[in-house]
Amino acid sequence: MSKISVSIAGGSGYTGGELLRLLLFHPHVKIKQVTSEKYAGKPVFKIHPNLRTITSLRFSTIEELKDCDCLFLALSHGRSLHKIDFFCGLAPKLIDLSSDFRLLTTEQYRRWYGINHPRPELLTQFVYGIPEIHRQEIKSATRVACAGCNATAALLGLYPLYQTPLCHPAKTIVEVKAGSSQSGRSPSPGSHHPERNGCYRVYQPTGHRHIGEILQELSLLWDSSFHFTATSVEMVRGIQAVSHVFLSEPATEKDIWKTYRQFYGSEPFIRIVKDNSGLYRLPEPKILSGTNFCDIGFSKDPLSDHLVVVSALDNLMKGAAGQAVQNFNIMNGLPEKTALNFPGLHPI
Amino acid sequence: MSKISVSIAGGSGYTGGELLRLLLFHPHVKIKQVTSEKYAGKPVFKIHPNLRTITSLRFSTIEELKDCDCLFLALSHGRSLHKIDFFCGLAPKLIDLSSDFRLLTTEQYRRWYGINHPRPELLTQFVYGIPEIHRQEIKSATRVACAGCNATAALLGLYPLYQTPLCHPAKTIVEVKAGSSQSGRSPSPGSHHPERNGCYRVYQPTGHRHIGEILQELSLLWDSSFHFTATSVEMVRGIQAVSHVFLSEPATEKDIWKTYRQFYGSEPFIRIVKDNSGLYRLPEPKILSGTNFCDIGFSKDPLSDHLVVVSALDNLMKGAAGQAVQNFNIMNGLPEKTALNFPGLHPI
Amino acid sequence: MSKISVSIAGGSGYTGGELLRLLLFHPHVKIKQVTSEKYAGKPVFKIHPNLRTITSLRFSTIEELKDCDCLFLALSHGRSLHKIDFFCGLAPKLIDLSSDFRLLTTEQYRRWYGINHPRPELLTQFVYGIPEIHRQEIKSATRVACAGCNATAALLGLYPLYQTPLCHPAKTIVEVKAGSSQSGRSPSPGSHHPERNGCYRVYQPTGHRHIGEILQELSLLWDSSFHFTATSVEMVRGIQAVSHVFLSEPATEKDIWKTYRQFYGSEPFIRIVKDNSGLYRLPEPKILSGTNFCDIGFSKDPLSDHLVVVSALDNLMKGAAGQAVQNFNIMNGLPEKTALNFPGLHPI
Amino acid sequence: MSKISVSIAGGSGYTGGELLRLLLFHPHVKIKQVTSEKYAGKPVFKIHPNLRTITSLRFSTIEELKDCDCLFLALSHGRSLHKIDFFCGLAPKLIDLSSDFRLLTTEQYRRWYGINHPRPELLTQFVYGIPEIHRQEIKSATRVACAGCNATAALLGLYPLYQTPLCHPAKTIVEVKAGSSQSGRSPSPGSHHPERNGCYRVYQPTGHRHIGEILQELSLLWDSSFHFTATSVEMVRGIQAVSHVFLSEPATEKDIWKTYRQFYGSEPFIRIVKDNSGLYRLPEPKILSGTNFCDIGFSKDPLSDHLVVVSALDNLMKGAAGQAVQNFNIMNGLPEKTALNFPGLHPI
């Protein structure tokens, strides 16, 4: 099988670096170019120190990008949009990791990003890139918009339940704990180690942008009873979403098990984690660092309609670069786990 | 003014050590004895290394305890109960930091602790030790049962709201993030550093024992719509409670401000933390280490009935030893801040 | 006793904030002004969140500074120097926390800072501010230059030994582990949480600037056999210096004990930490957060001339603001521990 | 190629779990059995939560062990020794990860472990398992004793220098910073999170057992000028060794470069890390988590004979299980990087 040539626009950020790491070990991929306007000409390992001796690639500029089979966009939000025609012209397949094409309508962009999306006609051309929800469309898609990391964690925990009558209408509150890599590579007063270290900072009690994509995928209206709070916690990689679902119909834990199993039974990257003994009884992000798993567990209050769903993932992997590679594999008819079989470390 | 003599039963644990630290610097206190069965005879600084050169006290056994003006009980849960008559005989004033006398009825003990409380007649003799709720009773009390640390954090955030019509009936979900010192001084597989470090472990999705005291103080029934989830996080000291309150009446942020100000306006240890700029806009536990503050902030979703309340404290201070000393000051007619004026460190 | 009026030039940094915290609780001090060019007009608690409700002070500009009894300079290195005449005109007593007046000669400034010190005549007017070495001179000094934090940790561990024949000539290698607050309040790529968290970064294998002051105080020449390596470690506050001393004369651990006891026997802030049992057998920085202690311990290799000395302190306290307040107390004839009696927290 | 059958005696510890993780993804290996006396019958993922869904293996007892092609011993120190004849009878190739067969003479075991080694005749049958030093012998070895993790970090940094006249005789001081996983899976007061978190604990100022193997491999006598200090630091995985070498001959940094290049030029797992810019200029353990690299860098004091060598590795990988698999590959004529090509994560 001849290799698939790929390039990465925006290769100096954390998701770009993670993509690079994965693709360098992908047996069917040849990386052509990786861009960084700031570090053009420099070896990529200067920015991604884990890649020292792994690759001799150097950064190019976006302008220098050449044709390839699949182009990954790992640019900051808003920057894919600007040059989207240029990017579309470079490759028949395009996988965007930014938020620029996740929402389907201009109304939603106005509401959640406060912008008038300049290219509304493109929005429906992008498939929302969560394979567990849109695998069939992704198979034949030429353009995929990968989901936000917090949205991925919340959605994977909730989606199966929302396909049942249990959650119509349910009140749901999602609490997301997020690591510092989520905010990217640029230092800021809030990312300064003495301030960020050991912090539990409720940075978005309400109104988080990712709510937009979650409502869209759960087919909920804005005025629904869906609530979402995000807190920065002491962690570099990782997201844990604790979702409090108030079921609209009685259900036992067995019912919930069944719902998840039916939906995720054959999913390669979803694990149901719900044990009665041991230390890791419900999902924890730390053992997922570097993996593409989304672990999902739950606990039903026997005395009320309260269901606690816990989902965890690595925001740079299943929440970004790993998801992108999974989509790449699907779009190219490759086994879905290719280049994504790292099991994670313990202890860590 | 002559000094008040005090002793501490159970002085080798973390709350006992914290009590000792505070009382050693209390201008009106003379510490008579501190007990530890295991370390009897040893200098206390061997167990509490921060007290090296601060005191030459050595541990006694409980049996050796002599009369004093006020006895603090910092024993493990269940152990105060066993010898309560002996303890009551030693001192006219008694402050218990365990869970043995927090609940008012045997029904509650059966429900939340699964035990038949052997001394039901004593339960109503103890005042529940949150000064912001029970100051008047504490002033004349001879026996105080300090509140649980998670319960204190949740209650201080919610109590004022529950005194208004806003929360009748409200649905409330409390998410508590807890540091590792909460589980005490004994090593266990779950406290082993390689396993506990960096962990986000939802250890009690539902059914936490502290719910009992919270319901009691909020005058709620068990089958109410109060929900509580606790997660162990990467932190040694500290609790952050994020409470999601669904208000039963429309309210603006100004209304909420007013409610808190009316209730807590002159409280020495409650700070309302709700800023529009800066890094520390809502309460964070890390800057509260060593202090007796409970910081409280909130954010109202402008588009729904969802109110997010964030409260934070140091579990060993306002959640245990600091609360005990505050109660001691009140019971003895001393200025409430005596020995409790440490402002906390930043950065940390 | 009437209060001593003090002001702080440079109050928005970490050492300025720590000074402020200490002086606000100093019974003989009245804080007049605290400056910050950037935050002039803003309440200090916006920058130092631990001081919320503790003080209503607002930042002034340096230009607005008025006369006071004692002026603290907590400016970035190089900035005290520029306006030194202005500052000297404001107060009869001046305590500088920067590196601008620590070295005694222009040669040393050229060598270690690569600058031609513009005011060489002032250098000998400043007393080097380690009380354990220069207490007598500090008592009558009007100008004190507080020592560098790494230098303080290293010097306090080594100074007594260098007063004996044991260390003439000794080969000494100091390894310093430093927390992130040492680099101050400004974010940088190296202080960005995802990069700084969990890091062990040997940032200065040789040639550290603090070597200059250490050699000066140990009366060593530059070409001596003194070596110093500094590593950034996972910690916000704290320094641990592990010094490897190769003794020039045979000595037992008892001899070393005696040397330290003779020298530090009555020092209020030095503790010898050398236990055979327990967890904290040698000095550790974490239990020193917020304290003015420098803990010192040692271990002698029974089979060689190798002596390991471990010293630890809080870089913002004994290594900066605490040291400054201790000097202030000495200069003003006050008990040395005034405002510095916080014993530190455990666990933390 | 038919698969090589392997078993692991002692599979519930951290090195056993890491071995299992690596071998499960080794293309030429079939894992037959993994033992744990305590967890016999339980699925391995209950103890190694990262292996959930990766394997359905369950623990066996040692007694149940059957023949295999290669047996790994990942038992606690002292336990391989006891049953060594039984183990040798099970497999033609044996790789021991304990300290039981690292030293070559009974004198050394008496000196460093205080034991009379009961099977001195076996000591010379084991090859000391650092491939960079003993690759030729390992190729034909049937028994390999993997090196201690601290010893590996120190030796890989120093060995090439000691093959030159630069270090004869040199004075060398090694400072090792060690993560908490080094002490294994059993909780203890020292590993209790509130005590271990954020600690910098000089647990072995002198006299560390690993000195024995280091001296052996560097061909030094016990009374040499080699010194070694170990400190527990805030880290789960990882070792950083900072070695201070006082060269006996003048040398430039170029000379040192040349020495390392000559020695390690073609080594698959050694990287020389010595940059003038960027954040990761010298080796840091955090980006090595999960990898088999030992990164080595250095800095020469231009004004003295002081050379600082920094080496870093993952104690469970290059310091244990990774080293074991590398040896396994060599012993079986497989490409050395097989199953060991994980590049590590950044950020982390």
Side-chain angles (χ1 to χ4, degrees):
Chain A
M1 177 178 179
S2 81
K3 300 233 173 174
I4 303 166
S5 70
V6 312
S7 291
I8 302 170
S12 67
Y14 290 149
T15 52
E18 195 71 348
L19 257 181
L20 196 48
R21 174 178 77 82
L22 295 172
L23 295 171
L24 282 166
F25 289 88
H26 196 299
H28 304 306
V29 159
K30 166 146 188 48
I31 302 179
K32 248 177 128 167
Q33 289 173 293
V34 184
T35 80
S36 163
E37 306 309 296
K38 187 167 174 192
Y39 301 106
K42 293 210 175 168
V44 298
F45 84 81
K46 286 279 183 183
I47 306 305
H48 306 302
N50 55 331
L51 302 183
R52 189 187 292 263
T53 74
I54 308 292
T55 178
S56 54
L57 267 171
R58 287 168 182 270
F59 289 114
S60 315
T61 62
I62 284 179
E63 205 165 73
E64 295 165 349
L65 277 177
K66 300 207 167 33
D67 287 1
C68 59
D69 296 327
C70 181
L71 180 64
F72 291 90
L73 304 180
L75 297 158
S76 334
H77 302 309
R79 289 191 55 217
S80 303
L81 195 48
H82 266 4
K83 310 211 168 192
I84 190 63
D85 295 325
F86 171 69
F87 292 135
C88 287
L90 289 173
K93 285 176 184 156
L94 193 143
I95 298 173
D96 184 22
L97 283 82
S98 82
S99 60
D100 291 1
F101 298 97
R102 287 177 195 156
L103 301 178
L104 290 169
T105 69
T106 47
E107 285 69 34
Q108 286 178 285
Y109 272 102
R110 259 197 296 280
R111 188 167 277 177
W112 295 106
Y113 290 83
I115 60 159
N116 281 312
H117 197 285
R119 304 296 299 279
E121 80 281 9
L122 292 177
L123 292 177
T124 50
Q125 295 185 16
F126 279 79
V127 177
Y128 187 72
I130 296 192
E132 291 78 5
I133 304 182
H134 296 288
R135 184 174 282 106
Q136 285 313 313
E137 299 144 90
I138 294 168
K139 275 184 185 167
S140 55
T142 55
R143 295 171 192 183
V144 167
C146 291
C149 53
N150 296 319
T152 304
L155 275 170
L156 288 172
L158 295 172
Y159 192 81
L161 301 173
Y162 274 79
Q163 305 316 300
T164 71
L166 291 170
C167 292
H168 289 285
K171 188 187 269 301
T172 295
I173 299 99
V174 181
E175 277 256 348
V176 154
K177 300 179 196 73
S180 61
S181 64
Q182 187 173 115
S183 311
R185 252 191 107 239
S186 299
S188 71
S191 81
H192 189 47
H193 185 270
E195 308 295 345
R196 181 63 174 75
N197 188 60
C199 92
Y200 291 88
R201 193 162 290 158
V202 182
Y203 73 94
Q204 197 83 49
T206 64
H208 195 287
R209 288 175 165 187
H210 286 186
I211 299 174
E213 26 185 314
I214 298 172
L215 296 185
Q216 170 181 287
E217 296 300 311
L218 295 182
S219 307
L220 296 174
L221 301 174
W222 188 18
D223 58 350
S224 78
S225 27
F226 181 86
H227 305 275
F228 184 98
T229 296
T231 303
S232 294
V233 305
E234 177 53 29
M235 176 159 62
V236 171
R237 279 183 183 238
I239 290 176
Q240 186 186 60
V242 177
S243 300
H244 302 270
V245 182
F246 294 91
L247 300 171
S248 43
E249 293 193 2
T252 63
E253 289 208 333
K254 253 192 190 162
D255 298 330
I256 310 294
W257 261 111
K258 226 172 104 183
T259 301
Y260 281 114
R261 270 218 202 101
Q262 280 181 338
F263 207 83
Y264 289 143
S266 56
E267 281 299 338
F269 294 113
I270 306 287
R271 301 190 293 194
I272 304 302
V273 176
K274 177 173 173 43
D275 288 354
N276 294 319
S277 62
L279 291 177
Y280 296 81
R281 304 181 190 193
L282 286 169
E284 295 190 26
K286 75 171 185 159
I287 57 166
L288 300 179
S289 283
T291 81
N292 200 47
F293 290 118
C294 178
D295 282 358
I296 299 172
F298 58 90
S299 177
K300 172 78 181 48
D301 184 357
L303 300 161
S304 77
D305 56 351
H306 183 205
L307 174 70
V308 180
V309 176
V310 182
S311 47
L313 50 75
D314 178 338
N315 58 304
L316 297 178
M317 286 292 302
K318 186 64 175 169
Q323 181 181 146
V325 172
Q326 188 180 357
N327 283 323
F328 170 85
N329 288 338
I330 296 172
M331 292 163 84
N332 287 284
L334 299 166
E336 222 165 308
K337 297 190 77 166
T338 312
L340 295 171
N341 60 1
F342 181 64
L345 300 172
H346 172 259
I348 187 169
Chain B
M1 176 178 179
S2 80
K3 300 233 173 174
I4 303 166
S5 70
V6 310
S7 291
I8 302 171
S12 68
Y14 289 151
T15 53
E18 195 71 350
L19 256 180
L20 196 48
R21 174 178 76 80
L22 294 171
L23 295 171
L24 283 167
F25 290 88
H26 195 299
H28 304 305
V29 159
K30 168 147 187 46
I31 302 179
K32 248 178 130 167
Q33 289 172 294
V34 185
T35 80
S36 163
E37 306 309 298
K38 186 168 174 192
Y39 300 106
K42 293 210 174 167
V44 298
F45 84 81
K46 286 278 182 183
I47 306 305
H48 306 302
N50 56 330
L51 301 183
R52 190 187 290 264
T53 76
I54 309 292
T55 177
S56 54
L57 267 172
R58 285 168 183 271
F59 289 112
S60 315
T61 62
I62 284 179
E63 204 165 74
E64 295 166 347
L65 276 178
K66 301 206 168 33
D67 287 1
C68 60
D69 297 326
C70 181
L71 180 64
F72 291 90
L73 304 179
L75 297 158
S76 332
H77 302 308
R79 290 192 54 217
S80 303
L81 194 48
H82 265 6
K83 311 210 168 194
I84 190 63
D85 295 324
F86 171 70
F87 292 136
C88 287
L90 288 173
K93 284 175 184 158
L94 193 143
I95 299 174
D96 184 21
L97 284 81
S98 82
S99 59
D100 290 0
F101 299 98
R102 288 178 195 156
L103 301 178
L104 291 168
T105 69
T106 47
E107 284 70 33
Q108 285 178 285
Y109 272 101
R110 258 197 296 279
R111 188 167 277 176
W112 296 105
Y113 291 83
I115 60 160
N116 281 313
H117 196 285
R119 304 295 300 278
E121 80 281 9
L122 292 178
L123 292 177
T124 50
Q125 296 184 16
F126 278 79
V127 177
Y128 187 73
I130 296 192
E132 291 78 4
I133 304 182
H134 295 289
R135 184 174 282 105
Q136 284 314 314
E137 298 144 89
I138 294 168
K139 274 185 186 167
S140 55
T142 55
R143 295 169 191 184
V144 167
C146 291
C149 53
N150 296 319
T152 304
L155 275 170
L156 288 173
L158 295 172
Y159 192 81
L161 302 172
Y162 274 80
Q163 306 315 301
T164 71
L166 291 170
C167 292
H168 288 287
K171 188 188 269 299
T172 295
I173 299 99
V174 181
E175 277 257 345
V176 154
K177 299 178 197 75
S180 60
S181 64
Q182 187 173 114
S183 311
R185 251 191 109 239
S186 300
S188 72
S191 80
H192 189 47
H193 184 270
E195 308 296 344
R196 181 62 174 74
N197 187 59
C199 93
Y200 291 88
R201 193 162 290 159
V202 183
Y203 72 94
Q204 198 83 50
T206 64
H208 194 288
R209 288 176 166 187
H210 286 187
I211 299 175
E213 26 185 313
I214 299 172
L215 296 185
Q216 170 181 287
E217 297 300 310
L218 296 183
S219 307
L220 296 174
L221 300 175
W222 188 19
D223 58 350
S224 78
S225 26
F226 181 86
H227 304 276
F228 183 98
T229 296
T231 303
S232 295
V233 305
E234 176 54 29
M235 177 158 65
V236 171
R237 279 184 184 236
I239 290 175
Q240 186 186 59
V242 177
S243 301
H244 302 270
V245 181
F246 294 91
L247 301 171
S248 44
E249 292 193 1
T252 63
E253 288 208 332
K254 253 192 190 162
D255 298 329
I256 310 294
W257 261 112
K258 227 172 103 184
T259 300
Y260 280 114
R261 268 219 203 99
Q262 280 180 337
F263 207 83
Y264 289 142
S266 56
E267 281 298 337
F269 294 114
I270 305 287
R271 302 190 293 194
I272 305 302
V273 176
K274 177 174 172 41
D275 288 353
N276 294 318
S277 62
L279 291 177
Y280 296 81
R281 304 180 189 194
L282 286 169
E284 294 190 26
K286 74 171 186 160
I287 57 167
L288 300 179
S289 282
T291 81
N292 200 45
F293 291 118
C294 177
D295 282 358
I296 299 172
F298 58 89
S299 177
K300 171 78 180 50
D301 184 356
L303 300 161
S304 77
D305 55 351
H306 184 206
L307 173 70
V308 180
V309 176
V310 182
S311 47
L313 50 74
D314 178 338
N315 58 305
L316 297 178
M317 285 291 303
K318 185 65 174 169
Q323 182 182 144
V325 172
Q326 189 180 355
N327 283 323
F328 170 86
N329 288 338
I330 296 172
M331 290 163 85
N332 287 284
L334 300 168
E336 221 164 308
K337 298 191 76 166
T338 311
L340 296 172
N341 61 2
F342 181 65
L345 300 172
H346 172 258
I348 188 169
Chain C
M1 177 178 178
S2 80
K3 299 235 175 174
I4 303 166
S5 71
V6 311
S7 291
I8 302 171
S12 68
Y14 290 150
T15 52
E18 195 71 350
L19 256 180
L20 196 47
R21 174 178 76 81
L22 294 172
L23 294 171
L24 282 166
F25 289 88
H26 195 299
H28 304 305
V29 159
K30 168 150 187 44
I31 302 179
K32 249 178 128 167
Q33 290 173 293
V34 185
T35 81
S36 163
E37 305 310 297
K38 186 166 175 193
Y39 301 106
K42 293 211 174 165
V44 298
F45 85 80
K46 286 279 183 184
I47 307 303
H48 306 301
N50 55 331
L51 301 183
R52 190 187 291 262
T53 74
I54 309 292
T55 178
S56 55
L57 267 172
R58 287 168 182 271
F59 289 113
S60 314
T61 62
I62 284 179
E63 204 164 74
E64 295 166 348
L65 277 178
K66 299 205 169 32
D67 286 1
C68 60
D69 296 326
C70 181
L71 180 64
F72 291 90
L73 304 179
L75 298 158
S76 333
H77 301 309
R79 289 191 55 217
S80 303
L81 195 49
H82 265 5
K83 310 210 170 194
I84 191 64
D85 295 325
F86 171 70
F87 291 136
C88 286
L90 288 173
K93 283 174 184 158
L94 194 143
I95 298 173
D96 184 21
L97 283 82
S98 83
S99 59
D100 291 1
F101 298 98
R102 286 178 196 157
L103 300 178
L104 290 169
T105 69
T106 47
E107 283 70 34
Q108 287 177 284
Y109 272 102
R110 258 197 296 281
R111 188 167 277 176
W112 296 105
Y113 290 83
I115 60 159
N116 281 312
H117 196 284
R119 303 297 299 278
E121 79 282 8
L122 292 177
L123 293 177
T124 50
Q125 296 184 17
F126 279 80
V127 177
Y128 188 71
I130 296 192
E132 290 79 4
I133 304 182
H134 295 288
R135 185 174 281 107
Q136 285 314 315
E137 299 144 88
I138 294 168
K139 274 184 185 166
S140 56
T142 54
R143 295 169 192 185
V144 167
C146 291
C149 53
N150 296 319
T152 303
L155 275 170
L156 288 172
L158 294 173
Y159 192 81
L161 301 173
Y162 274 80
Q163 306 316 300
T164 70
L166 291 170
C167 291
H168 289 287
K171 188 187 269 300
T172 294
I173 298 98
V174 181
E175 278 256 348
V176 154
K177 299 179 196 73
S180 61
S181 64
Q182 187 174 114
S183 312
R185 253 191 106 238
S186 300
S188 72
S191 80
H192 189 47
H193 185 271
E195 308 295 345
R196 181 63 174 75
N197 187 60
C199 93
Y200 292 88
R201 194 162 289 159
V202 183
Y203 73 94
Q204 198 83 50
T206 64
H208 194 288
R209 287 176 166 186
H210 285 188
I211 299 174
E213 26 185 313
I214 298 171
L215 295 185
Q216 170 179 288
E217 296 300 310
L218 295 183
S219 308
L220 296 174
L221 301 175
W222 189 18
D223 58 350
S224 78
S225 26
F226 182 85
H227 304 275
F228 184 98
T229 296
T231 302
S232 295
V233 305
E234 177 54 28
M235 176 158 65
V236 171
R237 280 183 183 236
I239 290 176
Q240 186 186 60
V242 177
S243 301
H244 302 270
V245 182
F246 293 91
L247 301 171
S248 43
E249 293 193 1
T252 63
E253 289 209 332
K254 253 193 190 160
D255 298 329
I256 310 294
W257 261 111
K258 226 172 104 185
T259 300
Y260 280 114
R261 268 216 205 103
Q262 279 181 337
F263 207 84
Y264 289 142
S266 56
E267 281 298 336
F269 294 113
I270 305 286
R271 301 191 294 195
I272 305 301
V273 177
K274 176 172 174 42
D275 288 353
N276 294 318
S277 62
L279 291 176
Y280 296 81
R281 304 180 189 193
L282 286 170
E284 295 190 25
K286 75 171 186 159
I287 57 167
L288 300 179
S289 283
T291 81
N292 201 46
F293 291 117
C294 177
D295 282 358
I296 299 172
F298 59 90
S299 178
K300 172 77 180 49
D301 184 356
L303 300 161
S304 77
D305 55 350
H306 184 205
L307 174 70
V308 179
V309 176
V310 182
S311 47
L313 49 76
D314 177 338
N315 58 305
L316 296 178
M317 286 291 302
K318 186 64 176 169
Q323 182 182 144
V325 172
Q326 189 181 355
N327 283 323
F328 170 86
N329 288 338
I330 296 172
M331 291 163 84
N332 287 283
L334 299 167
E336 221 164 308
K337 297 191 77 166
T338 312
L340 295 172
N341 61 1
F342 181 65
L345 301 171
H346 171 257
I348 187 168
Chain D
M1 177 179 178
S2 81
K3 300 233 174 174
I4 303 166
S5 71
V6 311
S7 290
I8 301 171
S12 68
Y14 289 151
T15 52
E18 195 71 350
L19 256 181
L20 197 47
R21 175 179 75 80
L22 294 171
L23 294 171
L24 282 167
F25 289 88
H26 195 299
H28 304 306
V29 159
K30 168 148 186 47
I31 302 179
K32 248 176 130 168
Q33 289 173 295
V34 184
T35 80
S36 163
E37 306 309 296
K38 186 166 175 193
Y39 301 106
K42 293 211 174 166
V44 298
F45 85 81
K46 285 279 183 184
I47 306 304
H48 306 301
N50 55 330
L51 302 183
R52 191 186 288 265
T53 74
I54 309 291
T55 177
S56 54
L57 267 171
R58 287 169 182 269
F59 289 113
S60 315
T61 61
I62 284 179
E63 204 164 75
E64 295 165 348
L65 277 178
K66 301 205 169 32
D67 286 0
C68 60
D69 297 326
C70 181
L71 180 64
F72 291 90
L73 304 179
L75 297 158
S76 333
H77 301 309
R79 289 190 56 217
S80 304
L81 195 48
H82 266 4
K83 311 209 169 193
I84 190 64
D85 295 325
F86 171 69
F87 292 135
C88 286
L90 287 172
K93 283 174 186 158
L94 193 143
I95 298 174
D96 184 22
L97 284 81
S98 82
S99 59
D100 291 0
F101 298 97
R102 286 178 196 156
L103 300 178
L104 291 168
T105 69
T106 47
E107 284 70 34
Q108 286 177 286
Y109 272 102
R110 258 197 296 280
R111 188 167 276 176
W112 297 105
Y113 290 82
I115 60 159
N116 281 312
H117 197 286
R119 303 295 300 278
E121 79 282 9
L122 292 177
L123 293 177
T124 49
Q125 296 185 16
F126 278 80
V127 177
Y128 188 71
I130 297 193
E132 291 78 4
I133 304 183
H134 295 289
R135 185 174 282 107
Q136 285 313 314
E137 299 144 270
I138 294 168
K139 275 183 186 166
S140 55
T142 55
R143 295 169 192 184
V144 167
C146 291
C149 53
N150 297 318
T152 304
L155 276 170
L156 288 172
L158 295 172
Y159 192 81
L161 301 173
Y162 274 78
Q163 306 315 301
T164 70
L166 291 170
C167 291
H168 289 288
K171 189 187 266 304
T172 295
I173 299 99
V174 181
E175 277 256 347
V176 154
K177 299 179 196 74
S180 60
S181 64
Q182 187 172 115
S183 312
R185 253 191 107 238
S186 300
S188 72
S191 81
H192 189 47
H193 185 271
E195 308 295 344
R196 182 63 174 73
N197 187 59
C199 92
Y200 291 88
R201 194 161 290 158
V202 182
Y203 73 95
Q204 198 82 50
T206 63
H208 194 288
R209 288 176 166 187
H210 286 188
I211 299 174
E213 25 183 315
I214 299 172
L215 296 185
Q216 170 180 288
E217 296 300 310
L218 296 183
S219 307
L220 296 174
L221 301 175
W222 189 18
D223 58 350
S224 77
S225 25
F226 182 86
H227 304 276
F228 184 98
T229 296
T231 303
S232 294
V233 305
E234 177 54 29
M235 176 158 63
V236 171
R237 278 183 184 237
I239 290 175
Q240 186 186 61
V242 177
S243 301
H244 301 270
V245 182
F246 294 91
L247 301 171
S248 42
E249 292 194 2
T252 63
E253 289 208 332
K254 253 192 191 160
D255 298 329
I256 309 295
W257 261 112
K258 227 172 103 185
T259 300
Y260 280 114
R261 271 218 202 101
Q262 280 181 336
F263 208 84
Y264 289 143
S266 56
E267 281 298 337
F269 294 114
I270 306 287
R271 302 191 293 194
I272 305 303
V273 176
K274 176 173 173 40
D275 287 354
N276 294 318
S277 62
L279 291 176
Y280 296 81
R281 305 180 189 193
L282 287 169
E284 294 191 24
K286 75 172 185 158
I287 57 167
L288 300 179
S289 282
T291 81
N292 201 46
F293 290 118
C294 178
D295 282 358
I296 299 172
F298 59 88
S299 177
K300 172 76 181 51
D301 184 356
L303 300 161
S304 77
D305 55 351
H306 184 206
L307 174 70
V308 180
V309 176
V310 182
S311 47
L313 50 75
D314 178 337
N315 58 305
L316 297 178
M317 285 292 302
K318 185 64 174 169
Q323 182 182 144
V325 172
Q326 188 180 355
N327 283 323
F328 171 85
N329 289 338
I330 295 172
M331 291 163 84
N332 287 284
L334 299 167
E336 221 164 308
K337 298 191 76 167
T338 312
L340 295 172
N341 61 2
F342 182 63
L345 300 171
H346 172 257
I348 188 168

